[in-house]
Amino acid sequence: MTKVLVVAGTHSGCGKTLFSLALMAALVRRGYSVQAFKAGPDFIDPGFHALATGRASHALDGWMTDSAAVRDIFMRYTVHAQNRPDVAIVEGVMGLFDGASGSGEDGSTAQIAKWLNAPVLLVVDARSMARSAAAVVRGFAGFDPDVRIAAAVFNRVGSDNHAALLREAMETHCPDVALAGCLGRDEALVVPSRHLGLVTALEHPLTTKRLDAMAGWLERGVDVPALLDMLPEVHPGLPPLREVVPVRARIGVARDAAFCFYYEENLRLLQEAGAELCFFSPLADTELPDVDGLYFGGGYPEVHAGGLTANYGMRQAVRAFSESGRPVYAECGGFMYLMRDLQTPDGDILPMCGCFAARCRMDAQRRALGYREVTTMAPSLLGGAWTVARGHEFHYSYIAEKDPEALAIYKVRDRKDWREESEGFLRNNTLGSYIHLHFGSNPEVAPAFVDACVRLRRRDAGCADVQARLVASR
């Protein structure tokens, strides 16, 4: 059976990502197979999880998807996986109880832990604390009786004496919460960050040497076998239906250092709807694969803008594909790539694809952050009018010059109310938006995208057939 643990933190920056990666590396080094998950809408941490475990990591989000979808994703890649893992590790988001609002648990790590009936290990930054650290753990342990905090680990511990004080405080004031260990400061192991979070796994790969260093750091302070012994096993339940779906269309997915923000569930749902996914690189490839539709995820096009601009052949191929009326879907960084040009903070203007006659400009300040629910006001490749889906928005760029011919079809609601800003821009059959949608929030979205590709392929095939008959009749 697969054992499960949720790694949560007291707050962002406490060290839960480093601890999670180090634990994954330590388990793999001991011969265990590990399946990672990430609570919340994060794209970057799962990339590092995959490098540490050798398996794709999957997002579990309680605001974008419901409890049934979260449990299905979790079970699909643990006890019902073809290569069932020994251990499942869910890395949390922000602080344990932080989510979409200050009054409820939607979108929080705590919500995911309850839905999975999984124990929580709390990572606490113990810098400049001793007895107070036990007070923090006690407060977290008593905040919600339905969340089972089974253990705590103290990070950034300064000395052996500091560790002894922390252990004494826990034994005295939190005897019901196991102290999994005390970890010393090692800033050399921390993954560097940039404006949207950590740098991506493609840009800062975790080498075997670095993973070994992380595992060694963890094992110097944590008894890994003892931690494993205290973890419960996942009860299998009913396996998900696995139907063999015939391929109905081919969708090109942009995936490289510039475009790497995708929910793995989005890709699986497209395949389940009959899509064959063909990955390509807007940075390295000079032409598109033979496909019926295109999907551009988010990423860092601003960081790789020079390379994207220099690849003239790819930019022209994407624009021609869009102008042909075939389906193109782009989110955030992918949307930026489809605009006419991108203006850097220094004022440099770099041409992009031109599918939209809009200019994107980078800002030094964050322009948007938070959960979003969209309702379409017109038919699109996502489905008919009034299609509803949920997602997340986080970016530093903005539209400095709008495309006068693009139709804004999204009505957007955040956690408080409907927003006034226009979103979801449609031109030809190309849909671009700053919002990353989770296709699991609406099971009709992925099939609608594939259906749109099938319809346009049939149209093109019909036109080719008519043209062939005209040529033959001459």
Side-chain angles (χ1 to χ4, degrees):
M1 299 292 289
T2 300
K3 294 195 168 192
V4 58
L5 176 68
V6 174
V7 177
T10 54
H11 62 283
S12 294
C14 67
K16 65 179 177 293
T17 296
L18 177 57
F19 178 87
S20 298
L21 291 172
L23 180 58
M24 293 172 198
L27 290 171
V28 169
R29 192 163 71 167
R30 288 169 176 264
Y32 293 98
S33 56
V34 180
Q35 176 60 61
F37 299 89
K38 173 64 180 178
D42 192 295
F43 294 102
I44 298 177
D45 289 347
F48 287 102
H49 294 170
L51 292 177
T53 66
R55 296 172 178 239
S57 178
H58 302 271
L60 304 175
D61 192 286
W63 192 91
M64 294 191 294
T65 60
D66 60 18
S67 59
V70 166
R71 291 192 188 101
D72 176 74
I73 295 168
F74 180 78
M75 300 296 278
R76 188 179 291 272
Y77 297 103
T78 54
V79 293
H80 298 312
Q82 290 182 341
N83 297 312
R84 191 191 68 206
D86 299 311
V87 186
I89 297 175
V90 182
E91 183 190 344
V93 58
M94 299 184 290
L96 172 59
F97 299 105
D98 299 323
S101 73
S103 59
E105 66 179 6
D106 282 356
S108 68
T109 306
Q111 182 183 53
I112 298 298
K114 290 200 287 188
W115 284 353
L116 300 181
N117 192 28
V120 173
L121 181 145
L122 186 69
V123 179
V124 182
D125 184 345
R127 283 180 301 183
S128 305
M129 286 198 296
R131 187 165 177 251
S132 296
V136 171
V137 175
R138 184 170 178 176
F140 271 78
F143 187 78
D144 184 341
D146 293 328
V147 177
R148 180 161 49 102
I149 298 182
V153 65
F154 292 123
N155 188 27
R156 300 189 178 104
V157 177
S159 65
D160 290 343
N161 183 57
H162 187 194
L165 288 171
L166 292 168
R167 291 191 186 95
E168 181 182 359
M170 286 292 290
E171 290 169 359
T172 304
H173 301 291
C174 295
D176 296 333
V177 179
L179 179 56
C182 296
L183 295 166
R185 302 187 186 111
D186 193 339
E187 298 304 320
L189 296 178
V190 177
V191 180
S193 300
R194 67 156 62 98
H195 51 277
L196 296 183
L198 301 178
V199 299
T200 66
L202 289 174
E203 297 171 289
H204 191 274
L206 294 179
T207 62
T208 301
K209 182 178 179 180
R210 190 174 180 84
L211 286 169
D212 283 344
M214 287 181 172
W217 167 78
L218 180 127
E219 291 180 327
R220 286 192 293 274
V222 174
D223 186 338
V224 175
L227 178 60
L228 270 182
D229 286 343
M230 66 180 289
L231 301 185
E233 295 177 340
V234 180
H235 293 287
L238 295 175
L241 294 175
R242 297 183 184 274
E243 298 181 9
V244 177
V245 181
V247 172
R248 303 187 295 132
R250 304 177 80 237
I251 296 178
V253 181
R255 201 165 207 176
D256 57 17
F259 304 103
C260 52
F261 293 175
Y262 293 93
Y263 294 121
E264 289 293 328
E265 189 68 1
N266 285 15
L267 302 179
R268 184 189 72 80
L269 288 171
L270 287 171
Q271 290 174 313
E272 196 173 83
E276 177 188 350
L277 303 183
C278 306
F279 296 97
F280 69 98
S281 169
L283 282 169
D285 297 330
T286 55
E287 58 184 29
L288 291 169
D290 180 16
V291 292
D292 307 300
L294 294 176
Y295 181 5
F296 292 89
Y300 287 110
E302 67 275 19
V303 175
H304 302 278
L308 294 171
T309 294
N311 194 346
Y312 178 80
M314 176 58 72
R315 290 191 292 111
Q316 290 300 103
V318 171
R319 180 168 180 171
F321 192 99
S322 171
E323 291 178 346
S324 75
R326 285 173 286 179
V328 181
Y329 177 62
E331 297 177 327
C332 203
F335 180 35
M336 295 163 62
Y337 179 59
L338 297 193
M339 294 190 204
R340 183 186 70 224
D341 49 49
L342 186 155
Q343 186 170 1
T344 69
D346 297 329
D348 297 329
I349 298 174
L350 301 174
M352 295 287 116
C353 293
C355 304
F356 294 98
R359 169 168 295 170
C360 167
R361 181 178 295 166
M362 291 301 301
D363 199 344
Q365 304 296 319
R366 187 177 65 215
R367 282 285 177 153
L369 172 63
Y371 285 119
R372 304 286 185 260
E373 181 180 272
V374 307
T375 301
T376 61
M377 299 289 103
S380 71
L381 56 85
L382 299 181
W386 309 109
T387 294
V388 179
R390 286 189 163 190
H392 189 266
E393 185 177 12
F394 184 17
H395 52 93
Y396 277 67
S397 70
Y398 65 100
I399 301 175
E401 296 178 18
K402 292 185 177 181
D403 182 345
E405 297 185 17
L407 176 66
I409 67 165
Y410 285 1
K411 189 168 178 60
V412 182
R413 184 169 68 89
D414 59 22
R415 68 179 183 86
K416 293 182 179 179
D417 204 351
W418 295 102
R419 298 169 65 87
E420 295 182 2
E421 295 90 344
S422 299
E423 251 296 351
F425 297 93
L426 185 64
R427 179 168 181 168
N428 295 317
N429 203 13
T430 297
L431 178 61
S433 169
Y434 269 116
I435 299 171
H436 292 274
L437 295 180
H438 195 300
F439 293 174
S441 65
N442 183 338
E444 302 301 321
V445 167
F449 189 1
V450 178
D451 288 344
C453 294
V454 172
R455 285 195 302 272
L456 269 294
R457 185 179 63 187
R458 288 173 178 166
R459 180 207 68 178
D460 292 346
C463 291
D465 183 57
V466 170
Q467 186 174 9
R469 279 183 283 169
L470 286 173
V471 171
S473 67
R474 290 174 184 170

